[in-house]
Amino acid sequence: MRRQGSPGDVRVMFFLLRLAFWLGVVLLLLPSGAGTQHSAATNTVSASQAMSAASATVGDLRGFCARQPDACSVGSQVATTLGYRAQAGAKMLYDALSDVLAPQETGTIRDDAKQPANNPASSQGTLTPADMAPAWRGPPARKDKHPA
């Protein structure tokens, strides 16, 4: 009995295939360097021919898992394994960089008597007379009643 890949595995495989395909298209369409020795006669692929080939390849890739279910299943397992390894590698790199770039001195908890700024009692009585003056509220509203 064949083991079918989960829908998530198939999506990962298609994503990787599409990614490889489009990277190839981008590399094909990039201009070559001025120092290359290729003749113009060997490089006669136009943009329309490249797009036609790209659409034919995408159409062919859509039916790949239907034609080769074993290869698609193994490919999705490989992609999943590579994803886990990439995650583990990224975590190791992050931890290593965090250790190197982190400040060497960490903050410590200090006694409140040594730091009066953290003591709530030391902030009492610090308002100036301008701070304590009431805000201007404008003239009181008129209570005139006009007869209709």
Side-chain angles (χ1 to χ4, degrees), residues 16-128:
L16 292 175
L17 287 172
R18 280 190 222 124
L19 179 69
F21 170 76
W22 286 114
L23 283 174
V25 169
V26 167
L27 291 175
L28 178 70
L29 295 177
L30 285 176
S32 61
T36 59
Q37 300 297 324
H38 298 293
S39 67
T42 61
N43 244 353
T44 58
V45 176
S46 69
S48 63
Q49 289 172 333
M51 289 304 294
S52 173
S55 64
T57 303
V58 168
D60 186 50
L61 288 177
R62 285 189 181 140
F64 177 76
C65 283
R67 290 189 312 267
Q68 301 289 331
D70 291 336
C72 195
S73 175
V74 170
S76 65
Q77 291 173 0
V78 168
T80 302
T81 302
L82 289 176
Y84 288 142
R85 287 185 183 178
Q87 258 183 336
K91 184 181 181 324
M92 287 173 34
L93 180 64
Y94 176 78
D95 291 342
L97 288 176
S98 294
D99 290 343
V100 170
L101 300 176
Q104 298 300 323
E105 181 181 322
T106 59
T108 59
I109 299 174
R110 296 185 180 139
D111 189 16
D112 284 343
K114 294 180 183 177
Q115 272 193 340
N118 288 342
N119 191 351
S122 68
S123 66
Q124 300 294 321
T126 59
L127 292 176
T128 64

